[in-house]
Amino acid sequence: MELRCGGVGSQAGGRRMDGDSRDGGGGGCKDAGSEDYENLPTSVSLSIHMTAGAMAGILEHSVMYPVDSVKTRMQSLNPDPKAHYTSVYGALKKIIRTEGFWRPLRGLNVMVMGAGPAHALYFACYENMKRTLNAVFHHQGNSHLANGIAGSMATLLHDAVMNPAEVVKQRLQMYDSPHRSALSCIRTVWGTEGLGAFYRSYTTQLTMNVPFQSIHFITYEFLQEQINPYRGYNPQSHIISGGLAGALAAAATTPLDVCKTLLNTQENMALNLANVSGRLSGMANAFRTVYQLNGLPGYFKGVQARVIYQMPSTAISWSVYEFFKYFLTKHKLENRTPY
């Protein structure tokens, strides 16, 4: 994407946010209106990264929430006979037919409340860490190591905000959940299990999301270099890169997601079968319980739903984020450019 002066410009002259000039590009305007939204740190403020990130997170989770509900149920280690599903589409049809049209959306409100601030911090941290680390590594262009580290650091902030929302959301999504609203779920969990219940799966979440986001960001940036080398605003490239990056990262980290779901939901029937008394906690215990109940295939329960969920989710997230970053930066530059 280029914001051009006087209608003149070439993508070949585009520069990266890290300051790498790929082909030089002769001449060109030097005023603010000619700055690419990814070129200069001053062009994209922290507030723009946060606003674009918040919009991306809210839209991503809102659009894909019904599939997320199915994923949670398909990862159940010992599901109720009435909640056996063989496909994402079949599961959605069955849930709507037997539990009502709005049932796949239960918990959406708490997810939206968490996704906005979580993704604002996530993208702002990633962009700033990526720029700083690329400068430290003196890398011409994008350093995959810098992208991976930046993604991991951003995950720490993101998960600190999202983990409580994930706990509430997944308990509302489960079949025959005793909770009828997010508020009642929060009150019940807080009263019976304490504040720590909202972060019981935090270490597992980080253990899953750090490799997930490292794979995700490295793959996304790599694909962008291949299909969008001048890093222009190109919706198609953002959708393709985001979708493929999300699918790869989702498949690779499914075993950790299964363990996270077990820790979040504290699935009673499964824990009783595994002779677990009280509450299950800790990633190692979750791994042992999954293996005890379902063997190696248990680690990949719901992998189809997870990939189907993550592929469009990351495609939506990146395309919405890049659009709002483009739109808000362009608006800011136009406002400060004298006519």
Side-chain angles (χ1 to χ4, degrees), residues 270-292:
L271 296 183
N272 288 336
L273 278 177
N275 295 318
V276 175
S277 59
R279 301 293 174 181
L280 182 69
S281 63
M283 182 183 65
N285 290 330
F287 262 95
R288 279 194 293 268
T289 303
V290 171
Y291 185 78
Q292 179 183 346

Side-chain angles (χ1 to χ4, degrees), residues 124-161:
C125 178
Y126 172 70
E127 294 281 15
N128 283 278
M129 287 294 296
K130 179 180 76 170
R131 186 173 65 246
T132 300
L133 291 172
N134 272 304
V136 170
F137 295 155
H138 303 291
H139 196 280
Q140 291 299 307
N142 267 314
S143 162
H144 295 309
L145 178 60
N147 296 335
I149 295 173
S152 299
M153 295 300 294
T155 300
L156 296 176
L157 292 176
H158 173 273
D159 287 2
V161 176

Side-chain angles (χ1 to χ4, degrees), residues 43-322:
S43 297
V44 185
S45 66
L46 181 65
S47 62
I48 288 178
H49 285 310
M50 294 186 76
T51 303
M55 295 302 297
I58 290 170
L59 286 172
E60 168 198 345
H61 285 283
S62 297
V63 171
M64 296 306 301
Y65 194 83
V67 180
D68 185 46
S69 294
V70 171
K71 176 184 74 71
T72 296
R73 292 194 180 192
M74 292 183 78
Q75 287 180 335
S76 174
L77 297 178
N78 188 44
D80 187 284
K82 297 178 182 178
H84 275 287
Y85 311 112
T86 57
S87 69
V88 175
Y89 178 68
L92 277 174
K93 281 179 60 178
K94 185 174 182 179
I95 292 170
I96 291 172
R97 185 179 70 251
T98 60
E99 301 176 54
F101 181 79
W102 298 107
R103 184 61 182 90
L105 297 177
R106 185 182 294 176
L108 176 61
N109 55 343
V110 73
M111 182 49 53
V112 168
M113 290 174 65
H119 279 70
L121 293 171
Y122 171 70
F123 277 107
C125 178
Y126 172 70
E127 294 281 15
N128 283 278
M129 287 294 296
K130 179 180 76 170
R131 186 173 65 246
T132 300
L133 291 172
N134 272 304
V136 170
F137 295 155
H138 303 291
H139 196 280
Q140 291 299 307
N142 267 314
S143 162
H144 295 309
L145 178 60
N147 296 335
I149 295 173
S152 299
M153 295 300 294
T155 300
L156 296 176
L157 292 176
H158 173 273
D159 287 2
V161 176
M162 280 295 287
N163 208 85
E166 282 278 344
V167 171
V168 176
K169 174 206 73 169
Q170 290 195 310
R171 295 200 181 201
L172 289 167
Q173 288 173 333
M174 292 297 286
Y175 176 76
D176 201 25
S177 170
H179 311 291
R180 290 296 175 262
S181 70
L183 187 58
S184 70
C185 181
I186 293 170
R187 286 173 175 167
T188 301
V189 173
W190 191 311
T192 59
E193 301 176 46
L195 182 62
F198 295 105
Y199 284 94
R200 186 179 287 124
S201 65
Y202 185 54
T203 54
T204 303
Q205 184 101 332
L206 286 177
T207 305
M208 176 187 74
N209 280 345
V210 166
F212 176 93
Q213 298 301 351
S214 296
I215 296 170
H216 170 209
F217 281 116
I218 289 171
T219 304
Y220 177 82
E221 298 287 357
F222 172 77
L223 290 173
Q224 281 290 287
E225 288 181 345
Q226 306 309 307
I227 63 178
N228 186 21
Y230 302 110
R231 307 310 291 268
Y233 174 60
N234 184 332
Q236 185 177 9
S237 78
H238 300 314
I239 291 171
I240 293 171
S241 299
L244 291 176
L248 177 62
T253 57
T254 294
L256 292 162
D257 192 46
V258 171
C259 294
K260 181 208 74 172
T261 298
L262 178 60
L263 289 170
N264 277 344
T265 59
Q266 296 290 307
E267 192 182 341
N268 288 328
M269 293 177 67
L271 296 183
N272 288 336
L273 278 177
N275 295 318
V276 175
S277 59
R279 301 293 174 181
L280 182 69
S281 63
M283 182 183 65
N285 290 330
F287 262 95
R288 279 194 293 268
T289 303
V290 171
Y291 185 78
Q292 179 183 346
L293 292 173
N294 293 101
L296 288 176
Y299 294 117
F300 291 92
K301 288 180 74 69
V303 64
Q304 178 194 37
R306 179 163 163 78
V307 171
I308 290 173
Y309 168 75
Q310 285 293 349
M311 194 169 186
S313 287
T314 46
I316 292 168
S317 181
W318 276 110
S319 58
V320 171
Y321 173 70
E322 298 287 2

